[in-house]
PDB file of all heavy atoms in Angstrom:
ATOM      1  N   VAL A   1     -18.195   7.925   7.878  1.00 98.00           N
ATOM      2  CA  VAL A   1     -17.793   6.848   6.998  1.00 98.00           C
ATOM      3  C   VAL A   1     -16.374   6.521   7.242  1.00 98.00           C
ATOM      4  O   VAL A   1     -15.527   7.485   7.304  1.00 98.00           O
ATOM      5  CB  VAL A   1     -18.037   7.150   5.529  1.00 98.00           C
ATOM      6  CG1 VAL A   1     -17.600   6.079   4.620  1.00 98.00           C
ATOM      7  CG2 VAL A   1     -19.543   7.368   5.342  1.00 98.00           C
ATOM      8  N   LEU A   2     -15.989   5.270   7.321  1.00 98.00           N
ATOM      9  CA  LEU A   2     -14.638   4.951   7.685  1.00 98.00           C
ATOM     10  C   LEU A   2     -13.806   4.677   6.398  1.00 98.00           C
ATOM     11  O   LEU A   2     -14.291   4.278   5.368  1.00 98.00           O
ATOM     12  CB  LEU A   2     -14.670   3.683   8.523  1.00 98.00           C
ATOM     13  CG  LEU A   2     -15.153   3.646   9.818  1.00 98.00           C
ATOM     14  CD1 LEU A   2     -14.929   2.373  10.589  1.00 98.00           C
ATOM     15  CD2 LEU A   2     -14.615   4.834  10.691  1.00 98.00           C
ATOM     16  N   GLN A   3     -12.505   4.983   6.549  1.00 97.00           N
ATOM     17  CA  GLN A   3     -11.511   4.622   5.546  1.00 97.00           C
ATOM     18  C   GLN A   3     -10.305   4.062   6.187  1.00 97.00           C
ATOM     19  O   GLN A   3      -9.910   4.505   7.286  1.00 97.00           O
ATOM     20  CB  GLN A   3     -11.096   5.933   4.773  1.00 97.00           C
ATOM     21  CG  GLN A   3     -10.031   5.724   3.686  1.00 97.00           C
ATOM     22  CD  GLN A   3      -9.666   7.017   3.009  1.00 97.00           C
ATOM     23  OE1 GLN A   3      -9.651   8.169   3.649  1.00 97.00           O
ATOM     24  NE2 GLN A   3      -9.381   7.087   1.651  1.00 97.00           N
ATOM     25  N   LYS A   4      -9.794   3.004   5.587  1.00 95.00           N
ATOM     26  CA  LYS A   4      -8.532   2.423   6.124  1.00 95.00           C
ATOM     27  C   LYS A   4      -7.502   3.438   6.154  1.00 95.00           C
ATOM     28  O   LYS A   4      -7.317   4.364   5.292  1.00 95.00           O
ATOM     29  CB  LYS A   4      -8.106   1.158   5.269  1.00 95.00           C
ATOM     30  CG  LYS A   4      -8.744  -0.112   5.871  1.00 95.00           C
ATOM     31  CD  LYS A   4      -8.034  -1.304   5.087  1.00 95.00           C
ATOM     32  CE  LYS A   4      -8.536  -2.662   5.545  1.00 95.00           C
ATOM     33  NZ  LYS A   4      -7.968  -3.666   4.947  1.00 95.00           N
ATOM     34  N   ARG A   5      -6.542   3.272   7.100  1.00 92.00           N
ATOM     35  CA  ARG A   5      -5.344   4.134   7.201  1.00 92.00           C
ATOM     36  C   ARG A   5      -4.587   4.175   5.946  1.00 92.00           C
ATOM     37  O   ARG A   5      -4.201   3.148   5.414  1.00 92.00           O
ATOM     38  CB  ARG A   5      -4.422   3.772   8.308  1.00 92.00           C
ATOM     39  CG  ARG A   5      -3.203   4.538   8.482  1.00 92.00           C
ATOM     40  CD  ARG A   5      -2.497   4.233   9.730  1.00 92.00           C
ATOM     41  NE  ARG A   5      -2.161   2.845   9.899  1.00 92.00           N
ATOM     42  CZ  ARG A   5      -1.048   2.239   9.452  1.00 92.00           C
ATOM     43  NH1 ARG A   5      -0.187   2.936   8.845  1.00 92.00           N
ATOM     44  NH2 ARG A   5      -0.838   0.947   9.614  1.00 92.00           N
ATOM     45  N   THR A   6      -4.300   5.337   5.316  1.00 88.00           N
ATOM     46  CA  THR A   6      -3.614   5.515   4.083  1.00 88.00           C
ATOM     47  C   THR A   6      -2.286   6.316   4.239  1.00 88.00           C
ATOM     48  O   THR A   6      -1.435   6.368   3.484  1.00 88.00           O
ATOM     49  CB  THR A   6      -4.397   6.241   2.953  1.00 88.00           C
ATOM     50  OG1 THR A   6      -4.809   7.444   3.561  1.00 88.00           O
ATOM     51  CG2 THR A   6      -5.587   5.360   2.593  1.00 88.00           C
ATOM     52  N   GLN A   7      -2.148   6.870   5.535  1.00 88.00           N
ATOM     53  CA  GLN A   7      -0.950   7.704   5.854  1.00 88.00           C
ATOM     54  C   GLN A   7      -0.196   7.015   6.956  1.00 88.00           C
ATOM     55  O   GLN A   7      -0.542   5.873   7.275  1.00 88.00           O
ATOM     56  CB  GLN A   7      -1.371   9.060   6.199  1.00 88.00           C
ATOM     57  CG  GLN A   7      -2.072   9.763   4.993  1.00 88.00           C
ATOM     58  CD  GLN A   7      -2.444  11.229   5.500  1.00 88.00           C
ATOM     59  OE1 GLN A   7      -2.311  11.706   6.573  1.00 88.00           O
ATOM     60  NE2 GLN A   7      -3.015  11.987   4.450  1.00 88.00           N
ATOM     61  N   ALA A   8       0.833   7.718   7.488  1.00 88.00           N
ATOM     62  CA  ALA A   8       1.654   7.188   8.525  1.00 88.00           C
ATOM     63  C   ALA A   8       0.816   6.733   9.816  1.00 88.00           C
ATOM     64  O   ALA A   8       1.221   5.733  10.474  1.00 88.00           O
ATOM     65  CB  ALA A   8       2.780   8.048   8.894  1.00 88.00           C
ATOM     66  N   SER A   9      -0.231   7.503  10.041  1.00 91.00           N
ATOM     67  CA  SER A   9      -0.917   7.218  11.185  1.00 91.00           C
ATOM     68  C   SER A   9      -2.502   7.616  11.039  1.00 91.00           C
ATOM     69  O   SER A   9      -2.811   8.292   9.974  1.00 91.00           O
ATOM     70  CB  SER A   9      -0.533   7.941  12.480  1.00 91.00           C
ATOM     71  OG  SER A   9      -0.703   9.335  12.190  1.00 91.00           O
ATOM     72  N   ALA A  10      -3.324   7.026  11.769  1.00 95.00           N
ATOM     73  CA  ALA A  10      -4.660   7.315  11.761  1.00 95.00           C
ATOM     74  C   ALA A  10      -5.224   7.342  13.146  1.00 95.00           C
ATOM     75  O   ALA A  10      -4.661   6.816  14.132  1.00 95.00           O
ATOM     76  CB  ALA A  10      -5.506   6.142  11.024  1.00 95.00           C
ATOM     77  N   PRO A  11      -6.287   8.176  13.405  1.00 96.00           N
ATOM     78  CA  PRO A  11      -6.744   8.437  14.750  1.00 96.00           C
ATOM     79  C   PRO A  11      -7.454   7.340  15.517  1.00 96.00           C
ATOM     80  O   PRO A  11      -7.539   7.474  16.760  1.00 96.00           O
ATOM     81  CB  PRO A  11      -7.629   9.740  14.633  1.00 96.00           C
ATOM     82  CG  PRO A  11      -8.171   9.655  13.223  1.00 96.00           C
ATOM     83  CD  PRO A  11      -7.040   8.948  12.396  1.00 96.00           C
ATOM     84  N   TYR A  12      -8.006   6.393  14.843  1.00 97.00           N
ATOM     85  CA  TYR A  12      -8.901   5.449  15.502  1.00 97.00           C
ATOM     86  C   TYR A  12      -8.486   4.010  15.358  1.00 97.00           C
ATOM     87  O   TYR A  12      -7.952   3.653  14.325  1.00 97.00           O
ATOM     88  CB  TYR A  12     -10.372   5.560  14.860  1.00 97.00           C
ATOM     89  CG  TYR A  12     -10.858   6.949  15.081  1.00 97.00           C
ATOM     90  CD1 TYR A  12     -11.161   7.780  13.885  1.00 97.00           C
ATOM     91  CD2 TYR A  12     -10.998   7.581  16.317  1.00 97.00           C
ATOM     92  CE1 TYR A  12     -11.594   9.076  14.019  1.00 97.00           C
ATOM     93  CE2 TYR A  12     -11.479   8.835  16.478  1.00 97.00           C
ATOM     94  CZ  TYR A  12     -11.816   9.567  15.334  1.00 97.00           C
ATOM     95  OH  TYR A  12     -12.284  10.941  15.336  1.00 97.00           O
ATOM     96  N   ILE A  13      -8.800   3.223  16.345  1.00 97.00           N
ATOM     97  CA  ILE A  13      -8.491   1.822  16.464  1.00 97.00           C
ATOM     98  C   ILE A  13      -9.786   1.076  16.376  1.00 97.00           C
ATOM     99  O   ILE A  13     -10.822   1.420  17.081  1.00 97.00           O
ATOM    100  CB  ILE A  13      -7.797   1.386  17.733  1.00 97.00           C
ATOM    101  CG1 ILE A  13      -6.525   2.272  17.892  1.00 97.00           C
ATOM    102  CG2 ILE A  13      -7.532  -0.044  17.795  1.00 97.00           C
ATOM    103  CD1 ILE A  13      -6.062   2.174  19.369  1.00 97.00           C
ATOM    104  N   TYR A  14      -9.966  -0.016  15.754  1.00 97.00           N
ATOM    105  CA  TYR A  14     -11.088  -0.883  15.810  1.00 97.00           C
ATOM    106  C   TYR A  14     -11.067  -1.528  17.190  1.00 97.00           C
ATOM    107  O   TYR A  14     -10.211  -2.202  17.582  1.00 97.00           O
ATOM    108  CB  TYR A  14     -11.116  -2.036  14.811  1.00 97.00           C
ATOM    109  CG  TYR A  14     -12.187  -3.036  14.883  1.00 97.00           C
ATOM    110  CD1 TYR A  14     -13.565  -2.593  14.723  1.00 97.00           C
ATOM    111  CD2 TYR A  14     -11.975  -4.387  15.218  1.00 97.00           C
ATOM    112  CE1 TYR A  14     -14.590  -3.477  14.884  1.00 97.00           C
ATOM    113  CE2 TYR A  14     -12.994  -5.271  15.402  1.00 97.00           C
ATOM    114  CZ  TYR A  14     -14.374  -4.831  15.215  1.00 97.00           C
ATOM    115  OH  TYR A  14     -15.360  -5.710  15.354  1.00 97.00           O
ATOM    116  N   ALA A  15     -12.208  -1.357  17.948  1.00 97.00           N
ATOM    117  CA  ALA A  15     -12.184  -1.571  19.391  1.00 97.00           C
ATOM    118  C   ALA A  15     -12.826  -3.040  19.673  1.00 97.00           C
ATOM    119  O   ALA A  15     -13.013  -3.326  20.952  1.00 97.00           O
ATOM    120  CB  ALA A  15     -12.940  -0.614  20.149  1.00 97.00           C
ATOM    121  N   GLY A  16     -13.013  -3.800  18.631  1.00 97.00           N
ATOM    122  CA  GLY A  16     -13.259  -5.205  18.922  1.00 97.00           C
ATOM    123  C   GLY A  16     -14.711  -5.555  18.922  1.00 97.00           C
ATOM    124  O   GLY A  16     -15.105  -6.697  19.233  1.00 97.00           O
ATOM    125  N   ILE A  17     -15.686  -4.667  18.639  1.00 98.00           N
ATOM    126  CA  ILE A  17     -17.111  -4.863  18.588  1.00 98.00           C
ATOM    127  C   ILE A  17     -17.723  -4.160  17.304  1.00 98.00           C
ATOM    128  O   ILE A  17     -17.300  -2.971  17.032  1.00 98.00           O
ATOM    129  CB  ILE A  17     -17.753  -4.467  19.799  1.00 98.00           C
ATOM    130  CG1 ILE A  17     -17.327  -5.248  21.108  1.00 98.00           C
ATOM    131  CG2 ILE A  17     -19.378  -4.600  19.761  1.00 98.00           C
ATOM    132  CD1 ILE A  17     -17.990  -4.846  22.347  1.00 98.00           C
ATOM    133  N   GLU A  18     -18.599  -4.733  16.700  1.00 98.00           N
ATOM    134  CA  GLU A  18     -19.238  -4.234  15.504  1.00 98.00           C
ATOM    135  C   GLU A  18     -20.702  -4.689  15.397  1.00 98.00           C
ATOM    136  O   GLU A  18     -21.002  -5.683  16.032  1.00 98.00           O
ATOM    137  CB  GLU A  18     -18.514  -4.470  14.203  1.00 98.00           C
ATOM    138  CG  GLU A  18     -18.638  -5.953  13.783  1.00 98.00           C
ATOM    139  CD  GLU A  18     -18.460  -6.073  12.285  1.00 98.00           C
ATOM    140  OE1 GLU A  18     -19.130  -5.258  11.529  1.00 98.00           O
ATOM    141  OE2 GLU A  18     -17.652  -6.957  11.756  1.00 98.00           O
ATOM    142  N   ILE A  19     -21.490  -3.877  14.831  1.00 98.00           N
ATOM    143  CA  ILE A  19     -22.849  -4.285  14.424  1.00 98.00           C
ATOM    144  C   ILE A  19     -22.741  -4.732  12.939  1.00 98.00           C
ATOM    145  O   ILE A  19     -22.134  -3.965  12.129  1.00 98.00           O
ATOM    146  CB  ILE A  19     -23.861  -3.122  14.547  1.00 98.00           C
ATOM    147  CG1 ILE A  19     -23.979  -2.718  15.930  1.00 98.00           C
ATOM    148  CG2 ILE A  19     -25.137  -3.722  13.998  1.00 98.00           C
ATOM    149  CD1 ILE A  19     -24.790  -1.509  16.342  1.00 98.00           C
ATOM    150  N   PHE A  20     -23.357  -5.971  12.593  1.00 98.00           N
ATOM    151  CA  PHE A  20     -23.045  -6.527  11.367  1.00 98.00           C
ATOM    152  C   PHE A  20     -24.368  -7.245  10.780  1.00 98.00           C
ATOM    153  O   PHE A  20     -25.090  -7.764  11.609  1.00 98.00           O
ATOM    154  CB  PHE A  20     -22.007  -7.700  11.517  1.00 98.00           C
ATOM    155  CG  PHE A  20     -21.721  -8.527  10.501  1.00 98.00           C
ATOM    156  CD1 PHE A  20     -20.665  -8.039   9.534  1.00 98.00           C
ATOM    157  CD2 PHE A  20     -22.224  -9.740  10.231  1.00 98.00           C
ATOM    158  CE1 PHE A  20     -20.310  -8.841   8.472  1.00 98.00           C
ATOM    159  CE2 PHE A  20     -21.882 -10.516   9.094  1.00 98.00           C
ATOM    160  CZ  PHE A  20     -20.861 -10.041   8.247  1.00 98.00           C
ATOM    161  N   LYS A  21     -24.591  -6.996   9.586  1.00 98.00           N
ATOM    162  CA  LYS A  21     -25.636  -7.664   8.787  1.00 98.00           C
ATOM    163  C   LYS A  21     -25.261  -8.996   8.394  1.00 98.00           C
ATOM    164  O   LYS A  21     -24.344  -9.109   7.469  1.00 98.00           O
ATOM    165  CB  LYS A  21     -26.150  -6.780   7.675  1.00 98.00           C
ATOM    166  CG  LYS A  21     -26.775  -5.520   8.054  1.00 98.00           C
ATOM    167  CD  LYS A  21     -27.151  -4.742   6.783  1.00 98.00           C
ATOM    168  CE  LYS A  21     -27.833  -3.420   7.099  1.00 98.00           C
ATOM    169  NZ  LYS A  21     -28.119  -2.625   5.946  1.00 98.00           N
ATOM    170  N   PRO A  22     -25.803 -10.107   8.856  1.00 98.00           N
ATOM    171  CA  PRO A  22     -25.302 -11.516   8.469  1.00 98.00           C
ATOM    172  C   PRO A  22     -25.399 -11.689   6.944  1.00 98.00           C
ATOM    173  O   PRO A  22     -24.650 -12.484   6.422  1.00 98.00           O
ATOM    174  CB  PRO A  22     -26.318 -12.397   9.185  1.00 98.00           C
ATOM    175  CG  PRO A  22     -26.715 -11.617  10.406  1.00 98.00           C
ATOM    176  CD  PRO A  22     -26.770 -10.295  10.012  1.00 98.00           C
ATOM    177  N   SER A  23     -26.238 -11.006   6.215  1.00 98.00           N
ATOM    178  CA  SER A  23     -26.295 -11.261   4.721  1.00 98.00           C
ATOM    179  C   SER A  23     -25.018 -10.937   4.127  1.00 98.00           C
ATOM    180  O   SER A  23     -24.792 -11.401   2.985  1.00 98.00           O
ATOM    181  CB  SER A  23     -27.521 -10.445   4.184  1.00 98.00           C
ATOM    182  OG  SER A  23     -27.253  -8.940   4.462  1.00 98.00           O
ATOM    183  N   LEU A  24     -24.199 -10.027   4.718  1.00 98.00           N
ATOM    184  CA  LEU A  24     -22.908  -9.701   4.116  1.00 98.00           C
ATOM    185  C   LEU A  24     -22.005 -10.773   3.958  1.00 98.00           C
ATOM    186  O   LEU A  24     -21.024 -10.853   3.124  1.00 98.00           O
ATOM    187  CB  LEU A  24     -22.215  -8.668   4.970  1.00 98.00           C
ATOM    188  CG  LEU A  24     -22.880  -7.287   5.095  1.00 98.00           C
ATOM    189  CD1 LEU A  24     -22.279  -6.397   6.121  1.00 98.00           C
ATOM    190  CD2 LEU A  24     -23.025  -6.624   3.811  1.00 98.00           C
ATOM    191  N   ALA A  25     -22.253 -11.953   4.763  1.00 98.00           N
ATOM    192  CA  ALA A  25     -21.370 -13.169   4.655  1.00 98.00           C
ATOM    193  C   ALA A  25     -21.932 -14.126   3.682  1.00 98.00           C
ATOM    194  O   ALA A  25     -21.194 -15.175   3.458  1.00 98.00           O
ATOM    195  CB  ALA A  25     -21.147 -13.649   6.133  1.00 98.00           C
ATOM    196  N   HIS A  26     -23.064 -13.984   3.328  1.00 97.00           N
ATOM    197  CA  HIS A  26     -23.654 -14.897   2.241  1.00 97.00           C
ATOM    198  C   HIS A  26     -22.870 -14.913   1.036  1.00 97.00           C
ATOM    199  O   HIS A  26     -22.382 -13.886   0.562  1.00 97.00           O
ATOM    200  CB  HIS A  26     -25.140 -14.472   1.943  1.00 97.00           C
ATOM    201  CG  HIS A  26     -26.084 -14.651   3.150  1.00 97.00           C
ATOM    202  ND1 HIS A  26     -27.384 -14.230   3.042  1.00 97.00           N
ATOM    203  CD2 HIS A  26     -25.939 -15.242   4.232  1.00 97.00           C
ATOM    204  CE1 HIS A  26     -27.956 -14.449   4.251  1.00 97.00           C
ATOM    205  NE2 HIS A  26     -27.109 -15.128   4.958  1.00 97.00           N
ATOM    206  N   GLY A  27     -22.655 -16.103   0.479  1.00 93.00           N
ATOM    207  CA  GLY A  27     -21.833 -16.289  -0.760  1.00 93.00           C
ATOM    208  C   GLY A  27     -20.352 -16.566  -0.500  1.00 93.00           C
ATOM    209  O   GLY A  27     -19.694 -16.910  -1.430  1.00 93.00           O
ATOM    210  N   PHE A  28     -19.991 -16.365   0.692  1.00 97.00           N
ATOM    211  CA  PHE A  28     -18.620 -16.776   1.106  1.00 97.00           C
ATOM    212  C   PHE A  28     -18.460 -18.296   1.433  1.00 97.00           C
ATOM    213  O   PHE A  28     -19.432 -18.807   2.021  1.00 97.00           O
ATOM    214  CB  PHE A  28     -17.963 -15.898   2.188  1.00 97.00           C
ATOM    215  CG  PHE A  28     -17.751 -14.528   1.817  1.00 97.00           C
ATOM    216  CD1 PHE A  28     -18.688 -13.441   1.944  1.00 97.00           C
ATOM    217  CD2 PHE A  28     -16.449 -14.116   1.292  1.00 97.00           C
ATOM    218  CE1 PHE A  28     -18.450 -12.197   1.664  1.00 97.00           C
ATOM    219  CE2 PHE A  28     -16.172 -12.877   1.035  1.00 97.00           C
ATOM    220  CZ  PHE A  28     -17.136 -11.850   1.167  1.00 97.00           C
ATOM    221  N   GLU A  29     -17.412 -18.881   1.143  1.00 97.00           N
ATOM    222  CA  GLU A  29     -17.283 -20.284   1.474  1.00 97.00           C
ATOM    223  C   GLU A  29     -16.872 -20.452   2.952  1.00 97.00           C
ATOM    224  O   GLU A  29     -16.292 -19.650   3.572  1.00 97.00           O
ATOM    225  CB  GLU A  29     -16.311 -20.963   0.598  1.00 97.00           C
ATOM    226  CG  GLU A  29     -16.483 -21.056  -0.912  1.00 97.00           C
ATOM    227  CD  GLU A  29     -15.376 -21.699  -1.656  1.00 97.00           C
ATOM    228  OE1 GLU A  29     -14.771 -22.645  -1.101  1.00 97.00           O
ATOM    229  OE2 GLU A  29     -15.099 -21.296  -2.808  1.00 97.00           O
ATOM    230  N   GLU A  30     -17.217 -21.716   3.564  1.00 97.00           N
ATOM    231  CA  GLU A  30     -16.893 -22.055   4.780  1.00 97.00           C
ATOM    232  C   GLU A  30     -15.442 -22.508   4.797  1.00 97.00           C
ATOM    233  O   GLU A  30     -15.291 -23.675   4.710  1.00 97.00           O
ATOM    234  CB  GLU A  30     -17.918 -23.039   5.517  1.00 97.00           C
ATOM    235  CG  GLU A  30     -17.675 -23.339   6.925  1.00 97.00           C
ATOM    236  CD  GLU A  30     -18.585 -24.237   7.422  1.00 97.00           C
ATOM    237  OE1 GLU A  30     -19.791 -24.098   7.325  1.00 97.00           O
ATOM    238  OE2 GLU A  30     -18.118 -25.359   7.978  1.00 97.00           O
ATOM    239  N   LYS A  31     -14.502 -21.600   4.973  1.00 97.00           N
ATOM    240  CA  LYS A  31     -13.104 -21.902   4.846  1.00 97.00           C
ATOM    241  C   LYS A  31     -12.415 -20.844   5.705  1.00 97.00           C
ATOM    242  O   LYS A  31     -12.897 -19.842   6.080  1.00 97.00           O
ATOM    243  CB  LYS A  31     -12.629 -22.084   3.467  1.00 97.00           C
ATOM    244  CG  LYS A  31     -12.585 -20.702   2.722  1.00 97.00           C
ATOM    245  CD  LYS A  31     -12.098 -20.869   1.301  1.00 97.00           C
ATOM    246  CE  LYS A  31     -12.056 -19.486   0.556  1.00 97.00           C
ATOM    247  NZ  LYS A  31     -11.568 -19.621  -0.833  1.00 97.00           N
ATOM    248  N   LYS A  32     -11.128 -21.135   5.933  1.00 97.00           N
ATOM    249  CA  LYS A  32     -10.298 -20.131   6.557  1.00 97.00           C
ATOM    250  C   LYS A  32     -10.103 -18.821   5.885  1.00 97.00           C
ATOM    251  O   LYS A  32      -9.601 -18.791   4.730  1.00 97.00           O
ATOM    252  CB  LYS A  32      -8.907 -20.656   6.923  1.00 97.00           C
ATOM    253  CG  LYS A  32      -8.758 -21.808   7.886  1.00 97.00           C
ATOM    254  CD  LYS A  32      -7.346 -22.157   8.156  1.00 97.00           C
ATOM    255  CE  LYS A  32      -7.202 -23.314   9.170  1.00 97.00           C
ATOM    256  NZ  LYS A  32      -5.842 -23.627   9.463  1.00 97.00           N
ATOM    257  N   PHE A  33     -10.588 -17.700   6.409  1.00 98.00           N
ATOM    258  CA  PHE A  33     -10.263 -16.420   5.856  1.00 98.00           C
ATOM    259  C   PHE A  33     -10.651 -15.391   6.982  1.00 98.00           C
ATOM    260  O   PHE A  33     -11.371 -15.554   7.815  1.00 98.00           O
ATOM    261  CB  PHE A  33     -11.080 -16.190   4.504  1.00 98.00           C
ATOM    262  CG  PHE A  33     -12.567 -15.829   4.686  1.00 98.00           C
ATOM    263  CD1 PHE A  33     -13.063 -14.519   4.794  1.00 98.00           C
ATOM    264  CD2 PHE A  33     -13.476 -16.901   4.695  1.00 98.00           C
ATOM    265  CE1 PHE A  33     -14.301 -14.321   4.765  1.00 98.00           C
ATOM    266  CE2 PHE A  33     -14.852 -16.661   4.711  1.00 98.00           C
ATOM    267  CZ  PHE A  33     -15.241 -15.336   4.833  1.00 98.00           C
ATOM    268  N   SER A  34     -10.087 -14.183   6.724  1.00 97.00           N
ATOM    269  CA  SER A  34     -10.206 -13.035   7.612  1.00 97.00           C
ATOM    270  C   SER A  34     -11.503 -12.250   7.279  1.00 97.00           C
ATOM    271  O   SER A  34     -11.860 -12.157   6.120  1.00 97.00           O
ATOM    272  CB  SER A  34      -9.047 -12.130   7.577  1.00 97.00           C
ATOM    273  OG  SER A  34      -9.220 -10.945   8.343  1.00 97.00           O
ATOM    274  N   ARG A  35     -12.144 -11.757   8.340  1.00 97.00           N
ATOM    275  CA  ARG A  35     -13.276 -10.832   8.144  1.00 97.00           C
ATOM    276  C   ARG A  35     -12.887  -9.603   7.403  1.00 97.00           C
ATOM    277  O   ARG A  35     -13.739  -8.908   6.924  1.00 97.00           O
ATOM    278  CB  ARG A  35     -13.929 -10.495   9.460  1.00 97.00           C
ATOM    279  CG  ARG A  35     -15.379 -10.307   9.381  1.00 97.00           C
ATOM    280  CD  ARG A  35     -16.125 -10.641  10.614  1.00 97.00           C
ATOM    281  NE  ARG A  35     -16.188  -9.547  11.565  1.00 97.00           N
ATOM    282  CZ  ARG A  35     -15.595  -9.649  12.799  1.00 97.00           C
ATOM    283  NH1 ARG A  35     -14.903 -10.659  13.151  1.00 97.00           N
ATOM    284  NH2 ARG A  35     -15.568  -8.584  13.635  1.00 97.00           N
ATOM    285  N   ASN A  36     -11.499  -9.291   7.358  1.00 96.00           N
ATOM    286  CA  ASN A  36     -11.159  -8.122   6.484  1.00 96.00           C
ATOM    287  C   ASN A  36     -11.525  -8.241   5.056  1.00 96.00           C
ATOM    288  O   ASN A  36     -11.718  -7.321   4.419  1.00 96.00           O
ATOM    289  CB  ASN A  36      -9.512  -8.085   6.537  1.00 96.00           C
ATOM    290  CG  ASN A  36      -9.047  -7.487   7.868  1.00 96.00           C
ATOM    291  OD1 ASN A  36      -9.353  -6.347   8.198  1.00 96.00           O
ATOM    292  ND2 ASN A  36      -8.284  -8.198   8.672  1.00 96.00           N
ATOM    293  N   VAL A  37     -11.715  -9.503   4.535  1.00 97.00           N
ATOM    294  CA  VAL A  37     -12.118  -9.649   3.147  1.00 97.00           C
ATOM    295  C   VAL A  37     -13.579  -9.036   3.003  1.00 97.00           C
ATOM    296  O   VAL A  37     -13.918  -8.335   1.997  1.00 97.00           O
ATOM    297  CB  VAL A  37     -12.122 -11.133   2.794  1.00 97.00           C
ATOM    298  CG1 VAL A  37     -12.715 -11.346   1.356  1.00 97.00           C
ATOM    299  CG2 VAL A  37     -10.751 -11.680   2.872  1.00 97.00           C
ATOM    300  N   ILE A  38     -14.436  -9.230   4.024  1.00 98.00           N
ATOM    301  CA  ILE A  38     -15.719  -8.697   3.963  1.00 98.00           C
ATOM    302  C   ILE A  38     -15.629  -7.207   4.214  1.00 98.00           C
ATOM    303  O   ILE A  38     -16.296  -6.429   3.512  1.00 98.00           O
ATOM    304  CB  ILE A  38     -16.699  -9.398   5.068  1.00 98.00           C
ATOM    305  CG1 ILE A  38     -16.704 -10.806   4.775  1.00 98.00           C
ATOM    306  CG2 ILE A  38     -18.041  -8.763   5.027  1.00 98.00           C
ATOM    307  CD1 ILE A  38     -17.477 -11.626   5.825  1.00 98.00           C
ATOM    308  N   TRP A  39     -14.934  -6.843   5.168  1.00 97.00           N
ATOM    309  CA  TRP A  39     -14.748  -5.447   5.510  1.00 97.00           C
ATOM    310  C   TRP A  39     -14.264  -4.636   4.157  1.00 97.00           C
ATOM    311  O   TRP A  39     -14.805  -3.470   3.933  1.00 97.00           O
ATOM    312  CB  TRP A  39     -13.694  -5.202   6.618  1.00 97.00           C
ATOM    313  CG  TRP A  39     -14.195  -5.588   7.908  1.00 97.00           C
ATOM    314  CD1 TRP A  39     -15.381  -6.103   8.297  1.00 97.00           C
ATOM    315  CD2 TRP A  39     -13.441  -5.662   9.223  1.00 97.00           C
ATOM    316  NE1 TRP A  39     -15.424  -6.491   9.612  1.00 97.00           N
ATOM    317  CE2 TRP A  39     -14.176  -6.161  10.220  1.00 97.00           C
ATOM    318  CE3 TRP A  39     -12.069  -5.261   9.398  1.00 97.00           C
ATOM    319  CZ2 TRP A  39     -13.788  -6.266  11.512  1.00 97.00           C
ATOM    320  CZ3 TRP A  39     -11.778  -5.357  10.765  1.00 97.00           C
ATOM    321  CH2 TRP A  39     -12.532  -5.762  11.813  1.00 97.00           C
ATOM    322  N   ASP A  40     -13.331  -5.150   3.405  1.00 97.00           N
ATOM    323  CA  ASP A  40     -12.761  -4.332   2.338  1.00 97.00           C
ATOM    324  C   ASP A  40     -13.927  -4.069   1.306  1.00 97.00           C
ATOM    325  O   ASP A  40     -13.936  -2.990   0.734  1.00 97.00           O
ATOM    326  CB  ASP A  40     -11.695  -5.229   1.653  1.00 97.00           C
ATOM    327  CG  ASP A  40     -10.357  -5.154   2.491  1.00 97.00           C
ATOM    328  OD1 ASP A  40     -10.201  -4.285   3.328  1.00 97.00           O
ATOM    329  OD2 ASP A  40      -9.516  -5.985   2.171  1.00 97.00           O
TER     330      ASP A  40
END
């Protein structure tokens, strides 16, 4: 299970690929926003 960095450093970088359930984006408006909102 992942946790965002809370200290000065963390060992892992998001490498630019994920597996995602599209249902997680349901209910969000079609407007400018970062996927970080869903991630949080």
Side-chain angles (χ1 to χ4, degrees):
V1 177
L2 295 187
Q3 181 182 32
K4 271 190 175 181
R5 176 169 57 87
T6 57
Q7 300 180 353
S9 63
Y12 303 116
I13 305 162
Y14 177 63
I17 296 180
E18 67 156 314
I19 301 175
F20 180 82
K21 293 178 178 177
S23 60
L24 297 171
H26 292 170
F28 287 91
E29 295 182 38
E30 186 181 304
K31 64 179 183 180
K32 289 184 180 183
F33 74 95
S34 169
R35 210 153 83 247
N36 280 299
V37 176
I38 301 174
W39 289 358
D40 286 344

